[in-house]
Amino acid sequence: MNKQRIAILLSGRGSNMVALAHQARDGLLAERAEIVLVASNKPEAAGLSKARELGLATASIPSKGKRRAEFDAELLALLEPFAPDWIVLAGYMRILTPQVVRRYPGRIVNIHPADTREHQGLHGYDWAWESKLQSTRITVHLVDEGLDTGPILAQRAVDLHGCTSLEQVEQRGLAVEHGFYAEVLDTLFEGAAQAPGSA
Ligand code: GAR
């Protein structure tokens, strides 16, 4: 079976990218996916150096001071030679323009640290903490042209009982994110590999 080629986009720490890289190397995604590029809009993102340490191809395009369409045109040009089957967002803190979404229709996936029907945009764990939620839901969804409005692929609950700080909320959430993202991608890629016309 051909492996799905994935490009990961991130803007910061990169803990989800690291988790996916381990799964692709010798875990759940080992037969399923190959990370062909890790790219960032922040050249200084910690996630980029972590990707380099893991031996992955990396690239960055600074987004600062650029108009959205200009940046996304550069992003598309960067991605093209890597021929990714999927764009996997892992803490990528920018909204993609329609030009990117339409180039990879139904092929861009995001992980969001909340139920996208209840909270969109940044700071999903702050929201859960400030709202005193006893549980929150991590969402993996396809990206459309809106802000966290794309079709939900799967959700997983995070128990927040007994959390006494935002750091604890985030810690519990990330522990779930790291395993959950790979599981959802595994199912998604399995379906894509079996679809008519796929290799
Ligand atoms: C993760 O919690 C991810 O769900 C969230 O950013 C964090 C990135 O952490 N994404 C969003 O908020 C997207 N709206 P990481 O860089 O350590 O993977």
Side-chain angles (χ1 to χ4, degrees), residues 12-17 90-91 93 110-113 121 125 148 174 177:
R13 179 178 50 196
S15 69
N16 275 289
M17 179 280 301
M93 301 307 189
N110 183 40
I111 189 161
H112 182 72
Y125 291 129
D148 299 328
L174 282 169
E177 286 189 46

Side-chain angles (χ1 to χ4, degrees), residues 11-65:
S11 301
R13 179 178 50 196
S15 69
N16 275 289
M17 179 280 301
V18 170
L20 291 176
H22 287 144
Q23 298 284 9
R25 194 171 57 193
D26 51 19
L28 193 60
L29 298 172
E31 303 298 317
R32 211 56 102 205
E34 179 190 356
I35 299 171
V36 295
L37 177 68
V38 176
S40 181
N41 62 310
K42 302 258 186 208
E44 72 284 6
L48 273 186
S49 18
K50 289 177 190 167
R52 261 179 243 121
E53 281 163 23
L54 287 162
L56 298 169
T58 60
S60 67
I61 305 174
S63 55
K64 211 170 169 202

